[in-house]
Coordinates of all heavy atoms in Angstrom, one line a residue:
M14 N 0.8 -1.2 0.0 CA 0.0 0.0 0.0 C 0.9 1.3 0.0 O 1.7 1.4 0.8 CB -0.9 0.0 1.3 CG -2.1 -0.8 1.2 SD -3.3 -0.2 0.1 CE -4.7 -1.1 0.6
N15 N 0.6 2.1 -0.9 CA 1.3 3.4 -0.9 C 0.3 4.5 -1.5 O -0.7 4.2 -2.1 CB 2.6 3.4 -1.6 CG 2.5 3.2 -3.0 OD1 1.7 3.7 -3.7 ND2 3.3 2.3 -3.5
G16 N 0.7 5.8 -1.2 CA -0.2 6.9 -1.6 C -0.3 7.1 -3.1 O -1.1 7.9 -3.5
D17 N 0.6 6.5 -3.8 CA 0.6 6.8 -5.3 C -0.2 5.8 -6.1 O -0.1 5.7 -7.3 CB 2.1 6.8 -5.8 CG 2.8 8.0 -5.4 OD1 2.1 9.0 -5.0 OD2 4.0 8.0 -5.3
H18 N -0.9 4.9 -5.4 CA -1.7 3.9 -6.1 C -0.9 3.0 -7.0 O -1.3 2.6 -8.0 CB -2.8 4.6 -6.9 CG -3.7 5.5 -6.1 ND1 -4.6 5.0 -5.2 CD2 -3.8 6.8 -6.1 CE1 -5.2 6.1 -4.7 NE2 -4.7 7.2 -5.1
G19 N 0.4 2.9 -6.6 CA 1.2 1.9 -7.4 C 1.7 2.5 -8.7 O 2.2 1.7 -9.5
L20 N 1.6 3.8 -9.0 CA 2.0 4.3 -10.3 C 3.5 4.5 -10.2 O 4.1 4.8 -9.2 CB 1.4 5.7 -10.5 CG -0.1 5.8 -10.8 CD1 -0.5 7.2 -11.0 CD2 -0.5 4.9 -12.0
T21 N 4.1 4.1 -11.4 CA 5.6 4.4 -11.5 C 5.7 5.9 -11.8 O 4.8 6.6 -12.2 CB 6.1 3.6 -12.7 OG1 5.5 4.1 -13.9 CG2 5.9 2.1 -12.6
P22 N 7.0 6.4 -11.5 CA 7.2 7.9 -11.8 C 6.8 8.2 -13.2 O 6.2 9.3 -13.5 CB 8.7 8.0 -11.6 CG 9.0 6.9 -10.6 CD 8.1 5.8 -10.9
A23 N 7.1 7.3 -14.2 CA 6.7 7.6 -15.6 C 5.2 7.7 -15.8 O 4.7 8.6 -16.5 CB 7.3 6.5 -16.5
Q24 N 4.5 6.8 -15.1 CA 3.1 6.8 -15.2 C 2.5 8.1 -14.6 O 1.5 8.7 -15.1 CB 2.5 5.6 -14.5 CG 2.5 4.4 -15.4 CD 2.1 3.1 -14.6 OE1 2.4 3.0 -13.4 NE2 1.5 2.2 -15.3
R25 N 3.1 8.5 -13.5 CA 2.7 9.8 -12.8 C 2.9 10.9 -13.7 O 2.0 11.8 -13.8 CB 3.5 10.0 -11.5 CG 2.9 9.3 -10.3 CD 3.3 10.1 -9.0 NE 2.6 11.4 -8.9 CZ 1.4 11.5 -8.5 NH1 0.7 10.4 -8.1 NH2 0.8 12.6 -8.4
R26 N 4.0 11.0 -14.4 CA 4.3 12.1 -15.3 C 3.3 12.1 -16.4 O 2.7 13.1 -16.8 CB 5.7 12.0 -15.9 CG 6.7 12.8 -15.1 CD 8.0 13.1 -15.9 NE 8.6 11.8 -16.3 CZ 9.4 11.0 -15.6 NH1 9.6 11.4 -14.4 NH2 9.9 9.9 -16.1
A27 N 3.0 10.9 -17.0 CA 2.0 10.8 -18.1 C 0.6 11.3 -17.6 O -0.1 12.0 -18.3 CB 1.9 9.3 -18.6
F28 N 0.3 10.9 -16.4 CA -1.0 11.3 -15.8 C -1.0 12.8 -15.7 O -2.0 13.5 -16.0 CB -1.2 10.6 -14.5 CG -2.5 11.0 -13.8 CD1 -3.7 10.6 -14.3 CD2 -2.5 11.8 -12.7 CE1 -4.9 10.9 -13.7 CE2 -3.7 12.1 -12.0 CZ -4.9 11.7 -12.6
D29 N 0.1 13.4 -15.2 CA 0.1 14.9 -15.0 C 0.0 15.6 -16.4 O -0.7 16.6 -16.5 CB 1.4 15.3 -14.3 CG 1.4 15.0 -12.8 OD1 0.3 14.7 -12.3 OD2 2.5 15.0 -12.2
D30 N 0.7 15.0 -17.4 CA 0.6 15.6 -18.7 C -0.9 15.6 -19.2 O -1.4 16.5 -19.8 CB 1.5 14.8 -19.7 CG 2.9 15.2 -19.5 OD1 3.2 16.1 -18.8 OD2 3.8 14.5 -20.1
W31 N -1.5 14.4 -19.0 CA -2.9 14.3 -19.4 C -3.8 15.3 -18.7 O -4.6 15.9 -19.4 CB -3.3 12.8 -19.0 CG -4.8 12.6 -19.4 CD1 -5.3 12.3 -20.6 CD2 -5.8 12.5 -18.4 NE1 -6.7 12.1 -20.5 CE2 -7.0 12.2 -19.1 CE3 -5.9 12.6 -17.0 CZ2 -8.2 12.0 -18.5 CZ3 -7.1 12.5 -16.4 CH2 -8.3 12.2 -17.2
L32 N -3.5 15.5 -17.4 CA -4.3 16.5 -16.7 C -4.1 17.9 -17.3 O -5.1 18.7 -17.5 CB -3.9 16.5 -15.2 CG -4.6 15.6 -14.3 CD1 -4.1 15.9 -12.9 CD2 -6.1 15.8 -14.3
Q33 N -2.9 18.2 -17.7 CA -2.6 19.5 -18.2 C -3.3 19.7 -19.6 O -3.6 20.8 -19.9 CB -1.1 19.7 -18.5 CG -0.2 19.5 -17.3 CD -0.3 20.7 -16.3 OE1 -0.4 21.8 -16.7 NE2 -0.4 20.4 -15.0
N34 N -3.5 18.6 -20.3 CA -4.0 18.8 -21.6 C -5.5 18.7 -21.7 O -6.1 18.9 -22.8 CB -3.4 17.7 -22.5 CG -1.9 18.0 -22.8 OD1 -1.6 19.1 -23.1 ND2 -1.1 17.0 -22.7
I35 N -6.2 18.4 -20.6 CA -7.7 18.5 -20.7 C -8.1 19.9 -20.9 O -7.7 20.8 -20.2 CB -8.3 17.9 -19.4 CG1 -7.9 16.5 -19.2 CG2 -9.8 18.1 -19.4 CD1 -8.4 15.9 -17.9
P36 N -9.0 20.1 -21.9 CA -9.5 21.5 -22.0 C -10.1 22.0 -20.7 O -10.8 21.2 -20.1 CB -10.5 21.4 -23.2 CG -10.1 20.1 -23.9 CD -9.5 19.2 -22.9
V37 N -9.9 23.3 -20.4 CA -10.5 23.8 -19.2 C -12.0 23.7 -19.2 O -12.6 23.4 -18.2 CB -10.1 25.3 -19.1 CG1 -10.8 26.0 -17.9 CG2 -8.6 25.5 -18.9
I38 N -12.6 23.8 -20.4 CA -14.0 23.7 -20.5 C -14.5 22.4 -19.9 O -15.5 22.4 -19.2 CB -14.4 23.8 -22.0 CG1 -14.3 25.3 -22.4 CG2 -15.7 23.2 -22.2 CD1 -14.5 25.5 -23.9
I39 N -13.8 21.3 -20.3 CA -14.3 20.0 -19.9 C -14.0 19.9 -18.4 O -14.9 19.3 -17.7 CB -13.6 18.9 -20.7 CG1 -14.2 19.0 -22.1 CG2 -13.8 17.6 -20.1 CD1 -13.6 18.0 -23.1
L40 N -12.9 20.4 -17.9 CA -12.7 20.3 -16.4 C -13.8 21.0 -15.7 O -14.3 20.6 -14.7 CB -11.4 21.0 -16.1 CG -10.1 20.1 -16.2 CD1 -8.9 20.9 -15.8 CD2 -10.3 18.9 -15.3
K41 N -14.2 22.2 -16.2 CA -15.3 22.9 -15.6 C -16.6 22.1 -15.5 O -17.3 22.1 -14.5 CB -15.6 24.2 -16.4 CG -14.9 25.4 -15.8 CD -15.4 26.7 -16.5 CE -14.7 27.9 -15.9 NZ -15.0 29.1 -16.7
C42 N -16.9 21.4 -16.6 CA -18.1 20.6 -16.7 C -18.0 19.5 -15.7 O -18.9 19.1 -15.0 CB -18.3 20.1 -18.1 SG -18.9 21.3 -19.2
R43 N -16.8 19.0 -15.5 CA -16.6 17.8 -14.6 C -16.8 18.3 -13.1 O -17.3 17.6 -12.3 CB -15.1 17.3 -14.7 CG -14.9 16.6 -16.0 CD -14.8 15.1 -15.8 NE -14.8 14.4 -17.1 CZ -13.7 13.9 -17.7 NH1 -12.6 14.1 -17.1 NH2 -13.8 13.3 -18.8
T44 N -16.3 19.5 -12.8 CA -16.4 19.9 -11.4 C -17.7 20.7 -11.1 O -18.2 20.6 -10.0 CB -15.2 20.9 -11.1 OG1 -15.1 21.9 -12.1 CG2 -13.9 20.1 -11.2
L45 N -18.2 21.5 -12.1 CA -19.3 22.3 -11.8 C -20.6 21.7 -12.4 O -21.7 22.2 -12.0 CB -19.1 23.7 -12.4 CG -17.9 24.4 -11.9 CD1 -17.7 25.8 -12.6 CD2 -18.0 24.7 -10.4
G46 N -20.5 20.8 -13.3 CA -21.7 20.3 -13.9 C -21.9 21.0 -15.3 O -21.3 22.1 -15.5
H47 N -22.6 20.4 -16.1 CA -22.8 21.0 -17.4 C -23.8 22.1 -17.4 O -24.6 22.2 -16.4 CB -23.3 19.9 -18.4 CG -22.4 18.8 -18.6 ND1 -21.2 18.9 -19.3 CD2 -22.5 17.5 -18.1 CE1 -20.6 17.7 -19.2 NE2 -21.4 16.9 -18.5
E48 N -23.7 23.0 -18.3 CA -24.6 24.2 -18.4 C -25.4 24.0 -19.6 O -24.9 24.0 -20.7 CB -23.8 25.5 -18.4 CG -23.7 26.2 -17.1 CD -23.1 27.5 -17.2 OE1 -23.4 28.2 -18.2 OE2 -22.3 27.9 -16.3
F49 N -26.7 24.0 -19.4 CA -27.6 23.9 -20.6 C -28.5 25.2 -20.6 O -29.0 25.6 -19.6 CB -28.5 22.7 -20.5 CG -27.7 21.4 -20.4 CD1 -27.5 20.7 -19.3 CD2 -27.1 20.9 -21.6 CE1 -26.8 19.5 -19.2 CE2 -26.3 19.7 -21.6 CZ -26.2 19.0 -20.4
T50 N -28.6 25.7 -21.8 CA -29.5 26.9 -21.9 C -30.9 26.4 -21.8 O -31.3 25.3 -22.0 CB -29.3 27.5 -23.3 OG1 -29.4 26.5 -24.3 CG2 -28.0 28.3 -23.4
D51 N -31.7 27.3 -21.3 CA -33.1 27.0 -21.1 C -33.7 26.8 -22.5 O -34.4 25.8 -22.7 CB -33.8 28.2 -20.5 CG -34.8 27.8 -19.4 OD1 -34.6 26.6 -18.9 OD2 -35.7 28.5 -19.0
W52 N -33.5 27.6 -23.4 CA -33.9 27.4 -24.8 C -33.0 28.3 -25.7 O -32.7 29.4 -25.4 CB -35.4 27.8 -25.0 CG -35.7 27.6 -26.4 CD1 -35.7 28.6 -27.4 CD2 -36.0 26.4 -27.1 NE1 -36.1 28.0 -28.6 CE2 -36.2 26.7 -28.4 CE3 -36.1 25.1 -26.6 CZ2 -36.6 25.7 -29.3 CZ3 -36.5 24.1 -27.5 CH2 -36.7 24.4 -28.9
D53 N -32.6 27.7 -26.8 CA -31.8 28.4 -27.7 C -32.2 27.9 -29.1 O -31.9 26.8 -29.5 CB -30.3 28.1 -27.5 CG -29.4 29.0 -28.4 OD1 -29.9 29.3 -29.5 OD2 -28.3 29.3 -28.0
D54 N -32.8 28.8 -29.9 CA -33.4 28.4 -31.1 C -32.3 27.9 -32.1 O -32.6 27.1 -33.0 CB -34.2 29.5 -31.8 CG -35.5 29.7 -31.2 OD1 -36.1 28.7 -30.8 OD2 -36.0 30.8 -31.1
R55 N -31.1 28.4 -31.9 CA -30.1 28.0 -32.9 C -29.5 26.6 -32.5 O -29.0 25.9 -33.4 CB -29.0 29.0 -32.9 CG -29.4 30.3 -33.7 CD -28.5 31.4 -33.3 NE -28.7 31.7 -31.8 CZ -27.8 32.2 -31.1 NH1 -26.7 32.7 -31.6 NH2 -28.0 32.4 -29.8
R56 N -29.5 26.3 -31.3 CA -28.8 25.1 -30.9 C -29.7 24.0 -30.3 O -29.4 22.8 -30.4 CB -27.8 25.4 -29.8 CG -26.5 26.0 -30.5 CD -25.4 26.3 -29.5 NE -25.8 27.3 -28.6 CZ -25.1 27.7 -27.5 NH1 -24.0 27.0 -27.2 NH2 -25.4 28.7 -26.8
S57 N -30.9 24.4 -29.8 CA -31.8 23.4 -29.2 C -32.7 22.9 -30.3 O -33.0 23.6 -31.2 CB -32.6 23.9 -28.0 OG -31.7 24.6 -27.1
K58 N -33.2 21.7 -30.1 CA -34.2 21.3 -31.0 C -35.2 20.4 -30.3 O -34.8 19.8 -29.2 CB -33.7 20.6 -32.3 CG -32.8 19.4 -31.9 CD -32.3 18.8 -33.2 CE -31.5 17.6 -32.9 NZ -30.6 17.1 -33.9
I59 N -36.4 20.2 -30.8 CA -37.4 19.4 -30.2 C -37.6 18.2 -31.1 O -37.8 18.4 -32.3 CB -38.7 20.2 -30.0 CG1 -38.4 21.3 -28.9 CG2 -39.8 19.2 -29.6 CD1 -39.7 22.1 -28.6
T60 N -37.6 17.0 -30.5 CA -37.9 15.8 -31.3 C -39.2 15.3 -30.7 O -39.5 15.4 -29.5 CB -36.8 14.8 -31.2 OG1 -36.6 14.4 -29.8 CG2 -35.5 15.3 -31.7
R61 N -40.0 14.6 -31.6 CA -41.2 14.1 -31.1 C -41.2 12.6 -31.3 O -40.8 12.1 -32.4 CB -42.4 14.7 -32.0 CG -43.7 14.2 -31.5 CD -44.8 15.1 -32.2 NE -46.1 14.7 -31.7 CZ -46.9 13.7 -32.3 NH1 -46.4 13.0 -33.3 NH2 -48.1 13.5 -31.8
D62 N -41.6 11.9 -30.3 CA -41.6 10.4 -30.3 C -42.9 10.0 -31.0 O -44.0 10.3 -30.5 CB -41.5 9.9 -28.9 CG -41.4 8.4 -28.9 OD1 -42.1 7.7 -29.7 OD2 -40.5 7.8 -28.2
G63 N -42.8 9.4 -32.1 CA -44.0 9.1 -32.9 C -44.9 8.1 -32.2 O -46.1 8.1 -32.4
A64 N -44.3 7.2 -31.4 CA -45.1 6.2 -30.7 C -45.9 6.8 -29.6 O -47.1 6.5 -29.4 CB -44.2 5.1 -30.3
T65 N -45.2 7.5 -28.7 CA -45.9 8.0 -27.5 C -46.4 9.5 -27.7 O -47.3 9.9 -26.9 CB -44.9 8.0 -26.3 OG1 -43.9 8.9 -26.6 CG2 -44.4 6.6 -26.1
G66 N -45.9 10.2 -28.7 CA -46.4 11.5 -28.9 C -45.8 12.5 -28.0 O -46.2 13.7 -27.9
T67 N -44.8 12.1 -27.2 CA -44.1 13.0 -26.3 C -43.0 13.8 -27.0 O -42.4 13.3 -27.9 CB -43.5 12.2 -25.1 OG1 -42.6 11.2 -25.6 CG2 -44.6 11.6 -24.3
Y68 N -42.8 15.0 -26.5 CA -41.7 15.8 -27.1 C -40.5 15.8 -26.2 O -40.6 15.7 -24.9 CB -42.2 17.3 -27.2 CG -43.3 17.4 -28.2 CD1 -44.7 17.3 -27.8 CD2 -43.0 17.7 -29.5 CE1 -45.7 17.4 -28.8 CE2 -44.1 17.9 -30.5 CZ -45.4 17.7 -30.1 OH -46.4 17.9 -31.0
T69 N -39.4 15.9 -26.8 CA -38.1 15.9 -26.0 C -37.3 17.1 -26.5 O -37.1 17.3 -27.7 CB -37.4 14.6 -26.2 OG1 -38.2 13.5 -25.9 CG2 -36.1 14.6 -25.3
I70 N -36.8 17.8 -25.6 CA -35.9 18.9 -25.9 C -34.5 18.4 -25.9 O -34.0 17.7 -25.0 CB -35.9 20.1 -24.9 CG1 -37.3 20.7 -24.9 CG2 -34.8 21.1 -25.2 CD1 -37.5 21.8 -23.9
V71 N -33.8 18.6 -27.0 CA -32.4 18.2 -27.1 C -31.5 19.4 -27.2 O -31.6 20.2 -28.1 CB -32.2 17.3 -28.4 CG1 -30.8 16.8 -28.5 CG2 -33.2 16.1 -28.4
A72 N -30.6 19.6 -26.2 CA -29.8 20.7 -26.2 C -28.4 20.4 -25.8 O -28.2 19.7 -24.8 CB -30.4 21.8 -25.2
P73 N -27.4 20.9 -26.5 CA -26.0 20.6 -26.2 C -25.6 21.5 -25.0 O -26.1 22.6 -24.8 CB -25.2 21.0 -27.5 CG -26.1 21.9 -28.2 CD -27.5 21.6 -27.8
C74 N -24.5 21.0 -24.3 CA -24.0 21.8 -23.2 C -23.5 23.1 -23.8 O -22.9 23.2 -24.8 CB -22.8 21.0 -22.6 SG -22.0 21.9 -21.3
K75 N -23.7 24.2 -23.0 CA -23.3 25.6 -23.4 C -21.8 25.7 -23.7 O -21.3 26.5 -24.4 CB -23.7 26.6 -22.3 CG -24.9 27.4 -22.6 CD -24.8 28.7 -21.8 CE -25.6 28.6 -20.5 NZ -25.7 29.8 -19.8
R76 N -21.0 24.9 -22.9 CA -19.6 25.0 -23.1 C -19.1 24.1 -24.2 O -17.9 24.0 -24.4 CB -18.9 24.5 -21.8 CG -19.2 25.4 -20.6 CD -18.3 25.1 -19.4 NE -18.7 25.9 -18.3 CZ -19.4 25.3 -17.3 NH1 -19.9 24.1 -17.4 NH2 -19.8 26.1 -16.2
K77 N -19.9 23.6 -25.0 CA -19.6 22.8 -26.2 C -18.6 21.7 -25.9 O -17.6 21.4 -26.6 CB -18.9 23.7 -27.2 CG -19.9 24.7 -27.7 CD -19.2 25.7 -28.7 CE -20.2 26.7 -29.2 NZ -19.6 27.9 -29.6
C78 N -18.9 21.0 -24.7 CA -18.0 19.9 -24.4 C -18.4 18.6 -25.0 O -17.7 17.6 -24.9 CB -18.0 19.7 -22.8 SG -19.5 19.1 -22.2
G79 N -19.5 18.7 -25.7 CA -20.0 17.5 -26.5 C -21.1 16.7 -25.8 O -21.7 15.8 -26.4
V80 N -21.5 17.1 -24.6 CA -22.6 16.5 -23.9 C -23.9 17.1 -24.3 O -24.0 18.3 -24.5 CB -22.4 16.6 -22.4 CG1 -23.7 16.1 -21.7 CG2 -21.2 15.7 -21.9
V81 N -24.8 16.2 -24.6 CA -26.1 16.7 -25.0 C -27.2 16.4 -23.9 O -27.2 15.2 -23.4 CB -26.5 16.1 -26.3 CG1 -28.0 16.5 -26.7 CG2 -25.6 16.6 -27.4
N82 N -28.0 17.3 -23.6 CA -29.0 17.1 -22.6 C -30.4 16.9 -23.3 O -30.7 17.6 -24.2 CB -29.1 18.4 -21.7 CG -30.2 18.2 -20.6 OD1 -30.3 17.1 -20.1 ND2 -30.8 19.3 -20.3
T83 N -31.0 15.8 -22.9 CA -32.4 15.6 -23.4 C -33.3 15.6 -22.2 O -33.0 15.1 -21.2 CB -32.5 14.3 -24.1 OG1 -32.2 13.2 -23.3 CG2 -31.6 14.2 -25.3
R84 N -34.5 16.3 -22.4 CA -35.5 16.2 -21.3 C -36.8 16.4 -21.9 O -37.0 16.9 -23.0 CB -35.2 17.4 -20.3 CG -35.3 18.8 -20.9 CD -34.7 19.7 -19.9 NE -34.2 20.9 -20.6 CZ -34.9 22.1 -20.6 NH1 -36.0 22.2 -20.0 NH2 -34.4 23.1 -21.3
P85 N -37.8 15.8 -21.3 CA -39.1 15.8 -21.8 C -39.7 17.2 -21.8 O -39.3 18.1 -20.9 CB -39.9 14.9 -20.8 CG -39.1 14.9 -19.6 CD -37.7 15.1 -20.0
C86 N -40.5 17.5 -22.8 CA -41.1 18.9 -22.9 C -42.6 18.7 -23.0 O -43.1 18.0 -23.8 CB -40.5 19.5 -24.2 SG -41.3 21.1 -24.5
P87 N -43.3 19.4 -22.1 CA -44.8 19.3 -22.2 C -45.2 20.0 -23.5 O -44.8 21.1 -23.8 CB -45.2 20.1 -21.0 CG -44.1 20.9 -20.6 CD -42.8 20.3 -21.0
P88 N -46.2 19.4 -24.2 CA -46.7 19.9 -25.5 C -47.2 21.3 -25.3 O -47.2 22.1 -26.2 CB -47.8 18.9 -25.9 CG -47.4 17.7 -25.1 CD -46.8 18.1 -23.9
T89 N -47.7 21.6 -24.1 CA -48.3 23.0 -23.9 C -47.2 24.0 -24.0 O -47.5 25.1 -24.5 CB -48.9 23.1 -22.5 OG1 -47.9 22.6 -21.5 CG2 -50.1 22.3 -22.3
A90 N -46.0 23.7 -23.7 CA -44.9 24.7 -23.8 C -44.6 25.0 -25.2 O -44.3 26.1 -25.6 CB -43.6 24.1 -23.1
I91 N -44.8 24.0 -26.1 CA -44.5 24.2 -27.5 C -45.6 25.0 -28.1 O -45.4 25.9 -28.9 CB -44.5 22.8 -28.2 CG1 -43.2 22.1 -27.7 CG2 -44.4 23.0 -29.7 CD1 -43.2 20.6 -28.1
R92 N -46.9 24.8 -27.7 CA -48.0 25.5 -28.2 C -47.9 27.0 -27.8 O -48.1 27.9 -28.6 CB -49.3 24.9 -27.7 CG -50.1 24.4 -28.8 CD -51.4 23.7 -28.3 NE -51.3 22.3 -28.1 CZ -51.6 21.7 -26.9 NH1 -52.1 22.4 -25.9 NH2 -51.5 20.4 -26.8
S93 N -47.4 27.2 -26.6 CA -47.4 28.6 -26.1 C -46.2 29.4 -26.9 O -46.3 30.6 -27.1 CB -47.1 28.7 -24.6 OG -45.8 28.2 -24.3
R94 N -45.2 28.6 -27.3 CA -44.1 29.2 -28.1 C -44.6 29.6 -29.5 O -44.1 30.6 -30.1 CB -43.0 28.3 -28.2 CG -42.0 28.3 -27.0 CD -40.8 27.5 -27.3 NE -40.1 28.0 -28.5 CZ -39.3 29.1 -28.4 NH1 -39.1 29.6 -27.2 NH2 -38.7 29.5 -29.5
A95 N -45.5 28.8 -30.0 CA -45.9 29.1 -31.4 C -46.9 30.3 -31.5 O -47.0 30.8 -32.6 CB -46.7 27.8 -31.9
T96 N -47.5 30.7 -30.5 CA -48.4 31.8 -30.6 C -47.8 33.1 -30.3 O -46.7 33.2 -29.7 CB -49.6 31.7 -29.5 OG1 -49.0 31.5 -28.2 CG2 -50.5 30.5 -29.9
Ligands
ZN16 ZN1 -20.5 20.3 -20.5

């Protein structure tokens, strides 16, 4: 048992390099959680499940880390947007 989890010095250096190279954006998402806009017409879209008729909002993380958030959307919200 030791505090280094059995890493060799070379492995430790590789790990440190890897840490340095993670984009700050992704680190922020890892520590703070992803940020999703409430609604963004340019980036969000709504998909409709043909079988159940339920709507789902699909929106990428604001920080463009590649994570996409999907959540159910009540049809009333869509109707109110259209008027
Ligand atoms: Zn994110």
Side-chain angles (χ1 to χ4, degrees):
M14 279 289 198
N15 64 47
D17 285 339
H18 304 288
L20 292 180
T21 65
Q24 280 173 325
R25 270 206 73 81
R26 268 198 303 279
F28 180 69
D29 286 343
D30 284 349
W31 176 75
L32 272 184
Q33 301 290 317
N34 287 319
I35 297 179
V37 173
I38 282 170
I39 290 176
L40 273 182
K41 264 192 181 171
C42 283
R43 290 254 171 99
T44 54
L45 302 174
H47 300 288
E48 261 188 40
F49 300 105
T50 48
D51 225 20
W52 178 262
D53 185 332
D54 281 327
R55 283 158 302 155
R56 282 184 289 171
S57 310
K58 58 181 182 197
I59 292 179
T60 59
R61 184 171 184 271
D62 188 314
T65 62
T67 55
Y68 294 90
T69 305
I70 295 177
V71 180
C74 175
K75 253 203 268 187
R76 296 194 186 96
K77 296 177 181 154
C78 70
V80 170
V81 172
N82 182 35
T83 59
R84 62 196 154 101
C86 175
T89 50
I91 294 169
R92 245 179 265 126
S93 68
R94 277 189 60 80
T96 53

